[in-house]
Each structure stands twice: as structure tokens, then as C-alpha cells.
């Protein structure tokens, strides 16, 4: 047997029920259509069993809508000589689970002694096909070591799947006969139909007894056979899913698709699946020599982004927790555009295009939100799902006392999200040169968002300037603040760039400019107004000190010595309480530094240093937001603070693998995964773009021997190879090989 390659495989050597939810997240597999958490086939109490399929949202109280956990394809009950295979009983003699990031194959080898003393070797494998995204497969090899007896397998599709107790599915029909089964079901409110068709095959040297149990909402296939000590049987379960989002007849599609698969299907599906994965990694792999932990953590992050990335669907996006857990209910935040999207923009622009198209298709939801709030244009929701309407819950149970409810204001006043979408559009446009997308989709978003900002700005008569009151910036420890620098700067940036875009259109594509003028009733006077607002937006910058005040009155808040609170294992918000943290200067994430990262032209070196020095010791790096550390790492790189950069980077890299915040069980921190890629490529690799194209100023951590990464610029793939000759050495740059 081949040992798992530590540069590519995440491996677990013991069964740890206490960390079950965490490892279920880590061992998630997927293919951009659906993802399945790393639960065991046989099922255990307190597991968080889930398969999520992009776009299958259904209504739910309080959080409005959530991704519905779909009927489970993994379920497999194994009876060994009459005893249930279950790790809670008997004794686990050997356990190893491994996820191969090269190809998304999840394997588990278990030697198990049953309560009666029978020892069996069970070898499980599963994958969600990247070449045939509707199809998932698992197989198990069972070898009794010290006994001969019967093996009985029950393989069903369970229509009773729920979201931690909440049921989304209503039964439409089912059948189980002749070696296969199907289940047809529908979400209760959104009325999305789903069909699953499954087949079970078994290779054995003895006779096989076949049965089908047509249990309501749980069709099941049963096989029985005899086994002698040392002999093996192989079982394969193949499941095909279609929904009414894919086709108007999902049941026909699923049954036909299954019927067309060879029996058994594994070998013929494995090869194209593996080839597709090879192609994926060819465009985006990152190699780090000299730091095995960073190496595997980076590949793990990229794998998580890849398995969540919609390849065939431009009406869905990646939620904050990808498709890997119940956290945030599948809702989409700015995490996608600012943290995850750059990875796709620079390695797989077609996926970035799909993700941006999701925002285009949901423009009407954003228009509705703006209108409902008394503004013009489009105000994108802080949390988004199927329609682009706001789905942030207004109240949620308090994290420390679940009998109390907490008002969530982000959906009302965390408004920078709309600018973030425009920012991501611009980044995509620059990197790809995809004029067509901007002409036919991006421009409309831009103009409508600019309109929103112009109508949201408030004129301050006393100071003759525009201001934005009552907002929340990226640092959510502070709400209801005025003139958050990040928000104001991005309102100005959007308006300025919308004007530039408009004049580019009128110069180069006057017919399209005219179409927008007509469709959106865009008049020269309105553009003039945008110009006026943009010029007069207040930006809280002190030229004397070079400091940006995060929001009005921030410097007057209580200063807290965070060092004095160490060691700690919880966030500042849980130590001081929501109101208490609001009164301090402690940040959940580095608001001003994020601004400086995204708009580097805003601050000169002196000012960047001043802001870094001021805000860094006031940020809750470990237990605040998982979005912060990667950005903090990039800013440290820019200031030449390699050691600090590495510390922040590893904080991001470990977010899920080491469950730093104790909540990885809720799903992968997708923004952190995307931030890890940015920290490597834009931070240590020093890739940056300007009007002349791309440049590299590498700043590798001293112990990294080499960094290699790929990116795509204007349709050309590049491989950057940076051997490390020490910090900032000119040789490091001269020696770097760039190949096409
Ligand atoms: O979008 C983030 C936000 O910036 C901080 N709280 C969690 C959200 C989802 O990850």
C-alpha cells in the first residue's frame, strides 16, 4: 500500500469522536456542483451529516433561507456475520483516513474487532466526480480476517434528510427494484425538485441474495453473501442527482444518467475525474519548499475553493462556509468577491465570471433592497442567497446565553458590500481584459451601485461635505458609526470608477452607452451629481500623523492593552460583551489596513507604516474575524516585516486545519482559504499589477527555500518560480524564473 503523500494528503490516524464535527468539515469532498461532509457511511450520533448542492435553497424561520441538506448518498449499513459494523462497539485495531487533495479521493482503512471477536478489514473510498458532476461514488472492500460468515449490506437514499432538525423535503415518489432505486422529492417552500437514482453492485465469490426495500421515503437496496476468512468482497454504490434547477425533468434525467453508466462504474469514472483534477492543479498549484505545514495548508485551502466553485452554473455563488457546513446557511457575503474571487480571477477566470454573473443575475434583488430603504440604484444584500434579496437574520440567539436574542445590524447598515462587487468586477476586468462581460453585465452593476452611493450620501452643511452615517465597516466590533473610512473611501472609489467607465463606454462603445442611458434612465446631470458627491466625500485622514481614523470618534474610545489579556482563548467580544467591545478601540478585523490593501494608492509609505503601527496591536488577530490574518500578513510583507507576516499567514493557514476558533465544525472559512492564496501570491510572492502589467517583488519567509505559483494574466498562463536567496536579496529577484 502507498503511504499518503504529506504534501498532498490530509491524514488522520485515529478515530476521535470528540472532534467529529471538525473532521467532518476537513474531510469534505465535492465537485463544484455538490459537496458532502466527511461523515462516515454507517452514521453516528451527534454527527453533522450533510450534502449541499449549489442553489438548493429553501425557506426557514429567522434566517429566511438556507441551503437544504439533500437526501444522503453515503448511507451504508454493514452487517458482519449478524453484527452491525459500528466503531462505537467492539474495538478499533487500526484507523486511517486520508483525503488526497490531488484528486479529491477520500479513503478510510479500519481494522475492527466486533464484540464477538471477529476481526474485519474495511477499506472505504469515495469521490464526487469532477468530470461528471451529477455523479458520486463510494466503494468498500470487506475482508474478514479470523472468521467466515455472512455479509449483509443495506444501501439507501434517505429522503428524511434534515437541516439539524429542520425538514425541507416533501416526498414525490420512489421505487426500488432490479438492483437500482430512485427517490423523487421537493423542497417545501422553494419547490425545487430533486431526484436521486442509485445502484448497488457487489463482487463476491459466493452467491449473492438481492432484495429491495421500498420503505416510504427511504428506498433501500439489500445484498447478502457469504465470506470466508481472507477472502474479500467489493461493494460499489453509485448515485446520480439532478434538480429542477438543471432540467425540467430531473427524475428522467437522473434515471437515464444512471442507466448509461457502466456497471460497476468506478474505473470508467475515475480516469476522467482524475484527469480533470490534474488540469485544475496545473493552473493553480502553489509549491512551497522548506515548510511542509505551509505547503499542505495552502493546498488544502485551494482544494476547498476548487470543490466549492460552480463551473457550470452562473446563478450561484460560494457561501462564506463554502458547501461544507451549516454555518451561515450557505449565505454569500463579501467573502466571495474580496477574499475568494481573486484566486479564480487569476487562475480560472471562467469560474470568476460565473461568480460575478451571480451578482448580475441578482441585481433586481439589490434594486429591491435599495428601494425598500429609500435609496436609488442597487444596494446588494449583506447576506445573499437565491434571489439577491437581503437574507441576514435580524435577530439571532446570543452566543453566550441562547435564551437571549441579539439584534444583527449588518443586513441594515454594513453597506460596503455593494462597492466590493464593483471592486471585484474591476479586478476581473483588468486581469482578463474581458470587455464583453463589462459591456453586457458589469457596467449595469457599476452604474446601479454608483447610484446607490450617491443617494445614500448625506450632505453636511456645516462642513460642506458628503458623509455616510450609521454604518458598520469591516470591523464589526463597532456598529452604528459615522464616516467609516473604508466605507467612505469605497463610496468615492465606486462613483469615480463608474464615471470613468461611462466615459470609456461613450468613447469606445457609444451604442452600448446609449442603451444603458435608455434602460437605466441615466442622464448627464446624474453623472455630474456623482462627480460632485465623489469630490466632496469626507475622508478622515490626518496629514500630520498620516493616520486614518477608522470612524468618527474612534480615537476617543477606550484603549485596551491586548497583550495584558494574554493568554486568552476567546474573542474580545466574548470577554467584554457586544456593547463592551463596541466602547473600546479593539478591532475584529483590520479595517483601515484592509482599505490600504485594496486601494494601495491611498497611502504613502510613511502613512502605511503609521496606520500599521497604530492598528496592529489593537486587532483581535486570533479570535476576531478569520478574514483578518491573511490581509494583515500581506500588509506586513509590504512593510518588510517578514516574521510578523509569517505569523499572521500561519494563523490564516491553520484556521480550519487546527480549528483555531473552535467553529470549523460549522464549515470551512472560505474567505480565509482565499486569503491564504492572496497572502502567498500577493504577499510573499509580491505579485502586483499596475497600468504596465504585472510585477513581482518577492519577500519570502527566510526558511522557505522556494515558492512556485501559477497565475493567468490577459489569457496567458504564467508560472513563477522563486528560489529564496535570503530576505530581499536582489539575486532572489534576478533568479526568479518566469515561464509561459
Ligand atoms: O463577512 C464576514 C464578516 O466580515 C465578519 N463576520 C463573518 C462574515 C462571514 O464570514
Amino acid at each position: 500500500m502507498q503511504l499518503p503523500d504529506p504534501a498532498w494528503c490530509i491524514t488522520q490516524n485515529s478515530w476521535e469522536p470528540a472532534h467529529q464535527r471538525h473532521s467532518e468539515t476537513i474531510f469534505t469532498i465535492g465537485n463544484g456542483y455538490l459537496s458532502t461532509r466527511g461523515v462516515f457511511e454507517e452514521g453516528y450520533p451527534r454527527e453533522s451529516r450533510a450534502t449541499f448542492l449549489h442553489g438548493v435553497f429553501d425557506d426557514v424561520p429567522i434566517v429566511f433561507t438556507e441551503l437544504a441538506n439533500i437526501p444522503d448518498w453515503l448511507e451504508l449499513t454493514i452487517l458482519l456475520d449478524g453484527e452491525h459494523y459500528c466503531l462505537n462497539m467492539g474495538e478499533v485495531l487500526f484507523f486511517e483516513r486520508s483525503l488526497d487533495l490531488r484528486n479529491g479521493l477520500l479513503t478510510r482503512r479500519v481494522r475492527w474487532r466486533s464484540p464477538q471477536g471477529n476481526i474485519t478489514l474495511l477499506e472505504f473510498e469515495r469521490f464526487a466526480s469532477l468530470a461528471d458532476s451529477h455523479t458520486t461514488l463510494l466503494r468498500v472492500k470487506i475482508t474478514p480476517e479470523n472468521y467466515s460468515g455472512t455479509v449483509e449490506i443495506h444501501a439507501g437514499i434517505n429522503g428524511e434528510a434534515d437541516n439539524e432538525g429542520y425538514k425541507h423535503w416533501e416526498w414525490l415518489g420512489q421505487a426500488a427494484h432490479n438492483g437500482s432505486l430512485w427517490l423523487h422529492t421537493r423542497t417545501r417552500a422553494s419547490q425545487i425538485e430533486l431526484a436521486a437514482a442509485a445502484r448497488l453492485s457487489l463482487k463476491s465469490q459466493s452467491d449473492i441474495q438481492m432484495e429491495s426495500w421500498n420503505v416510504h421515503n427511504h428506498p433501500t437496496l439489500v445484498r447478502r453473501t457469504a465470506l470466508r476468512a481472507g477472502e474479500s468482497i467489493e461493494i460499489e454504490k453509485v448515485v446520480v442527482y439532478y434538480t429542477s434547477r438543471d432540467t425540467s425533468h430531473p427524475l428522467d434525467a437522473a434515471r437515464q444518467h444512471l442507466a448509461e453508466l457502466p456497471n460497476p462504474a468506478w474505473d470508467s469514472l475515475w480516469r476522467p475525474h482524475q484527469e480533470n483534477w490534474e488540469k485544475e492543479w496545473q493552473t493553480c498549484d502553489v509549491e512551497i519548499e522548506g515548510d511542509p505545514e505551509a505547503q499542505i495548508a495552502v493546498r488544502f485551502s485551494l482544494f476547498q475553493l476548487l470543490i466549492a466553485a460552480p463551473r457550470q452554473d452562473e446563478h450561484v455563488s460560494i457561501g462564506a462556509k463554502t458547501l461544507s457546513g451549516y454555518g451561515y446557511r450557505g449565505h454569500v457575503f463579501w467573502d466571495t468577491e474580496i477574499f475568494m474571487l481573486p484566486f479564480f480571477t487569476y487562475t480560472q477566470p471562467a469560474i470568476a465570471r460565473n461568480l460575478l454573473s451571480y451578482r448580475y443575475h441578482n441585481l433586481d434583488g439589490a434594486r429591491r433592497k435599495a428601494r425598500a430603504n429609500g435609496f436609488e440604484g442597487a444596494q446588494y444584500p449583506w447576506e445573499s442567497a437565491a434571489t439577491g434579496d437581503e437574507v441576514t437574520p435580524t435577530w439571532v440567539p446570543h452566543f453566550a446565553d441562547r435564551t437571549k436574542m441579539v439584534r444583527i445590524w449588518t443586513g441594515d447598515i454594513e453597506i460596503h458590500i455593494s462597492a466590493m462587487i464593483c471592486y471585484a468586477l474591476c479586478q476581473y476586468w483588468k486581469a482578463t481584459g474581458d470587455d464583453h462581460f463589462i459591456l453586457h453585465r458589469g457596467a449595469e452593476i457599476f452604474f446601479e451601485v454608483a447610484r446607490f452611493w450617491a443617494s445614500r450620501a448625506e450632505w453636511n452643511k456645516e462642513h460642506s461635505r458628503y458623509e455616510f452615517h450609521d454604518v458598520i465597516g469591516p470591523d464589526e466590533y463597532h456598529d452604528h458609526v459615522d464616516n467609516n473610512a473604508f466605507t467612505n473611501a469605497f463610496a468615492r472609489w465606486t462613483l469615480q470608477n463608474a464615471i470613468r467607465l461611462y466615459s470609456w463606454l461613450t468613447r469606445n462603445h457609444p451604442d452600448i452607452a446609449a442603451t444603458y442611458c435608455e434602460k437605466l434612465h441615466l442622464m448627464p446631470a446624474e453623472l455630474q451629481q456623482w462627480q460632485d458627491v465623489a469630490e466632496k466625500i469626507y475622508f478622515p485622514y490626518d496629514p500630520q500623523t498620516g493616520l486614518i481614523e477608522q470612524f468618527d470618534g474612534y480615537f476617543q474610545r477606550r484603549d485596551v492593552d491586548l497583550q495584558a489579556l494574554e493568554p486568552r482563548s476567546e474573542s474580545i467580544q466574548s470577554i467584554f460583551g457586544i456593547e463592551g467591545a463596541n466602547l473600546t478601540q479593539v478591532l475584529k478585523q483590520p479595517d483601515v489596513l484592509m482599505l490600504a490593501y485594496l486601494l494601495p494608492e491611498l497611502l504613502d509609505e510613511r502613512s502605511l507604516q503609521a496606520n500599521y503601527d497604530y492598528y496592529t496591536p489593537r486587532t483581535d488577530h486570533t479570535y476576531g474575524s478569520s478574514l483578518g490574518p491573511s490581509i494583515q500578513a500581506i500588509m506586513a510583507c509590504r512593510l518588510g516585516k517578514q516574521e510578523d507576516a509569517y505569523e499572521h499567514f500561519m494563523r490564516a493557514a491553520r484556521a480550519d486545519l487546527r480549528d483555531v476558533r473552535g467553529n470549523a465544525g460549522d464549515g470551512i472559512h472560505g474567505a480565509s482559504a482565499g486569503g491564504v492564496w492572496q497572502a502567498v501570491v500577493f504577499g510573499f510572492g509580491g505579485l502586483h499589477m499596475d497600468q504596465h502589467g504585472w510585477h513581482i517583488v518577492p519577500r519570502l519567509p527566510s526558511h522557505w527555500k522556494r515558492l512556485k505559483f501559477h497565475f493567468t494574466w490577459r489569457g496567458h498562463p504564467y508560472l513563477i518560480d522563486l528560489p529564496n536567496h535570503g530576505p530581499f536579496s536582489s539575486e532572489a529577484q534576478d533568479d526568479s524564473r518566469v515561464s509561459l
Side-chain angles (χ1 to χ4, degrees):
M1 196 197 83
Q2 253 189 331
L3 284 177
D5 177 348
W8 280 103
C9 297
I10 306 289
T11 304
Q12 186 185 36
N13 293 107
S14 58
W15 184 51
E16 294 168 16
H19 301 121
Q20 186 171 308
R21 288 187 81 245
H22 173 219
S23 52
E24 285 167 12
T25 299
I26 299 301
F27 290 107
T28 296
I29 59 164
N31 59 9
Y33 177 71
L34 54 72
S35 279
T36 298
R37 283 172 59 80
V39 292
F40 295 138
E41 286 76 355
E42 62 272 20
Y44 289 91
R46 303 180 65 87
E47 66 183 1
S48 190
R49 205 168 185 90
T51 294
F52 296 112
L53 199 154
H54 264 309
V56 180
F57 280 100
D58 193 36
D59 297 5
V60 62
I62 304 192
V63 294
F64 300 108
T65 181
E66 65 182 357
L67 277 179
N69 170 26
I70 65 170
D72 177 31
W73 65 279
L74 285 181
E75 185 194 87
L76 199 77
T77 302
I78 302 173
L79 286 144
L80 299 167
D81 212 24
E83 291 179 289
H84 260 97
Y85 161 66
C86 172
L87 301 179
N88 279 335
M89 300 186 285
E91 195 182 346
V92 179
L93 304 174
F94 174 86
F95 179 97
E96 185 183 80
R97 178 156 58 154
S98 185
L99 173 62
D100 191 334
L101 305 174
R102 275 169 299 208
N103 50 33
L105 179 70
L106 181 63
T107 54
R108 176 167 59 124
R109 294 184 85 229
V110 184
R111 262 187 92 225
W112 178 69
R113 188 189 348 248
S114 74
Q116 279 178 25
N118 290 342
I119 298 176
T120 312
L121 177 66
L122 298 107
E123 297 164 280
F124 296 83
E125 295 176 292
R126 70 173 82 140
F127 71 95
S129 173
L130 197 61
D132 175 2
S133 59
H134 295 275
T135 305
T136 56
L137 291 100
L138 69 87
R139 67 178 179 188
V140 195
K141 188 169 164 192
I142 299 177
T143 315
E145 293 188 2
N146 61 348
Y147 69 100
S148 299
T150 56
V151 177
E152 185 171 319
I153 307 293
H154 307 167
I157 297 285
N158 188 357
E160 299 297 323
D162 60 34
N163 280 44
E164 300 180 309
Y166 193 86
K167 293 192 63 139
H168 285 291
W169 298 101
E170 58 188 9
W171 181 90
L172 295 177
Q174 70 176 67
H177 52 78
N178 291 343
S180 66
L181 62 78
W182 57 262
L183 176 71
H184 190 194
T185 183
R186 182 171 61 193
T187 53
R188 286 163 190 262
S190 57
Q191 300 272 291
I192 297 174
E193 286 181 35
L194 176 135
R199 192 176 62 206
L200 181 67
S201 51
L202 193 152
K203 264 195 248 157
S204 168
Q205 290 167 19
S206 312
D207 290 347
I208 301 168
Q209 266 180 38
M210 291 170 59
E211 268 177 40
S212 310
W213 295 344
N214 222 340
V215 180
H216 179 71
N217 213 12
H218 196 167
T220 302
L221 302 170
V222 178
R223 302 284 179 275
R224 266 180 227 103
T225 190
L227 261 183
R228 276 197 296 274
E231 265 178 29
S232 304
I233 57 158
E234 249 181 51
I235 299 144
E236 175 187 283
K237 182 177 181 187
V238 52
V239 181
V240 173
Y241 287 110
Y242 276 84
T243 77
S244 51
R245 294 189 68 260
D246 307 313
T247 163
S248 44
H249 298 289
L251 179 58
D252 294 346
R255 293 184 65 192
Q256 190 175 332
H257 195 130
L258 182 73
E260 285 165 6
L261 292 177
N263 189 9
W266 188 283
D267 290 339
S268 29
L269 270 86
W270 176 251
R271 186 195 286 254
H273 165 79
Q274 203 179 18
E275 284 168 0
N276 275 26
W277 268 110
E278 256 171 51
K279 280 189 213 137
E280 297 277 327
W281 284 112
Q282 272 162 20
T283 67
C284 72
D285 187 26
V286 171
E287 285 174 68
I288 297 170
E289 269 178 39
D291 191 339
E293 185 183 0
Q295 173 66 85
I296 189 74
V298 171
R299 286 193 171 133
F300 176 75
S301 297
L302 305 190
F303 177 82
Q304 293 305 329
L305 297 172
L306 292 170
I307 63 171
R311 288 165 181 76
Q312 291 96 13
D313 193 341
E314 55 172 50
H315 290 262
V316 298
S317 186
I318 307 177
K321 297 287 185 183
T322 65
L323 287 176
S324 59
Y326 289 101
Y328 292 125
R329 318 297 180 125
H331 294 181
V332 178
F333 296 66
W334 71 313
D335 304 35
T336 315
E337 282 77 15
I338 296 302
F339 294 85
M340 305 182 219
L341 200 100
F343 166 67
F344 296 113
T345 294
Y346 288 107
T347 64
Q348 297 214 45
I351 292 177
R353 194 179 204 279
N354 280 349
L355 295 169
L356 289 168
S357 294
Y358 161 79
R359 294 297 191 173
Y360 173 74
H361 294 305
N362 283 340
L363 194 47
D364 278 345
R367 288 186 173 114
R368 284 191 289 273
K369 175 163 177 171
R371 232 182 5 255
N373 288 341
F375 305 118
E376 289 165 29
Q379 181 183 8
Y380 275 95
W382 178 246
E383 295 186 29
S384 181
T387 60
D389 290 283
E390 183 59 74
V391 292
T392 304
T394 322
W395 295 90
V396 298
H398 192 283
F399 55 81
D401 178 355
R402 300 190 70 80
T403 63
K404 296 202 179 89
M405 297 297 275
V406 178
R407 176 72 165 89
I408 300 297
W409 289 103
T410 51
D412 305 67
I413 56 176
E414 193 155 355
I415 57 176
H416 62 264
I417 171 77
S418 300
M420 301 296 97
I421 291 161
C422 294
Y423 184 89
L425 275 170
C426 255
Q427 196 178 41
Y428 169 82
W429 190 18
K430 274 190 205 150
T432 60
D434 184 352
D435 288 355
H436 188 268
F437 186 77
I438 294 300
L439 287 172
H440 299 284
R441 293 187 170 179
E444 188 167 343
I445 296 179
F446 236 108
F447 296 144
E448 287 292 67
V449 169
R451 213 166 226 178
F452 160 70
W453 285 117
S455 68
R456 175 65 163 79
E458 291 161 65
W459 180 244
N460 180 328
K461 234 193 195 151
E462 196 189 332
H463 296 290
S464 296
R465 66 192 188 197
Y466 284 101
E467 301 188 345
F468 291 90
H469 294 172
D470 196 23
V471 303
I472 303 175
D475 159 32
E476 294 168 343
Y477 280 176
H478 299 98
D479 53 23
H480 299 291
V481 301
D482 295 341
N483 292 315
N484 166 248
F486 188 101
T487 307
N488 286 19
F490 268 107
R492 183 174 64 190
W493 180 92
T494 314
L495 288 163
Q496 287 169 339
N497 282 287
I499 295 164
R500 277 191 204 126
L501 176 58
Y502 181 79
S503 60
W504 176 81
L505 271 181
T506 47
R507 265 182 286 118
N508 300 296
H509 303 276
D511 46 334
I512 295 185
T515 319
Y516 279 122
C517 288
E518 203 185 315
K519 180 175 178 193
L520 305 177
H521 309 293
L522 208 54
M523 303 287 185
E526 188 171 2
L527 277 122
Q528 191 50 52
Q529 188 222 355
W530 293 357
Q531 180 75 37
D532 185 54
V533 176
E535 279 167 12
K536 294 180 186 148
I537 287 178
Y538 169 55
F539 185 62
Y541 174 70
D542 177 353
Q544 211 85 50
T545 58
L547 283 180
I548 294 173
E549 186 170 28
Q550 191 180 295
F551 53 82
D552 288 354
Y554 168 82
F555 290 138
Q556 271 71 58
R557 305 244 167 157
R558 182 157 81 86
D559 211 2
V560 174
D561 179 1
L562 285 180
Q563 274 305 321
L565 296 174
E566 297 296 343
R568 65 187 163 96
S569 54
E570 50 186 340
S571 75
I572 288 304
Q573 200 172 55
S574 54
I575 293 174
F576 291 131
I578 295 171
E579 298 307 325
N582 205 347
L583 298 174
T584 73
Q585 289 192 29
V586 183
L587 313 181
K588 182 175 175 184
Q589 52 184 317
D591 208 300
V592 168
L593 295 184
M594 284 179 161
L595 172 61
Y597 168 54
L598 297 171
L599 300 181
E601 62 281 5
L602 221 52
L603 297 183
D604 60 19
E605 182 94 12
R606 175 192 74 103
S607 183
L608 179 59
Q609 183 75 59
N611 284 285
Y612 184 93
D613 291 345
Y614 191 87
Y615 287 108
T616 299
R618 291 171 174 82
T619 304
D620 189 357
H621 299 291
T622 309
Y623 300 106
S625 170
S626 66
L627 279 59
S630 52
I631 306 302
Q632 188 76 38
I634 298 171
M635 298 321 279
C637 274
R638 288 201 181 152
L639 289 167
K641 296 171 183 291
Q642 295 322 99
E643 281 185 22
D644 292 358
Y646 184 74
E647 185 187 326
H648 292 298
F649 164 71
M650 286 311 285
R651 207 169 262 137
R654 290 173 180 152
D656 290 309
L657 283 173
R658 300 244 186 132
D659 198 7
V660 173
R661 289 173 184 72
N663 62 0
D666 296 340
I668 289 292
H669 293 84
S672 180
V676 162
W677 182 83
Q678 294 188 56
V680 172
V681 171
F682 300 143
F684 301 127
L687 175 68
H688 61 280
M689 281 70 183
D690 62 20
Q691 69 274 27
H692 306 297
W694 61 268
H695 308 270
I696 297 275
V697 183
R699 294 193 168 102
L700 306 191
S702 55
H703 65 290
W704 286 14
K705 297 200 178 95
R706 173 173 238 117
L707 169 66
K708 272 166 114 178
F709 61 86
H710 300 255
F711 74 94
T712 298
W713 176 256
R714 305 267 164 157
H716 296 285
Y718 295 93
L719 167 65
I720 305 296
D721 183 354
L722 302 170
N724 195 2
H725 296 294
F728 305 102
S729 72
S730 52
E731 295 97 297
Q733 289 187 42
D734 293 342
D735 213 17
S736 62
R737 279 193 306 265
V738 176
S739 38
L740 284 177

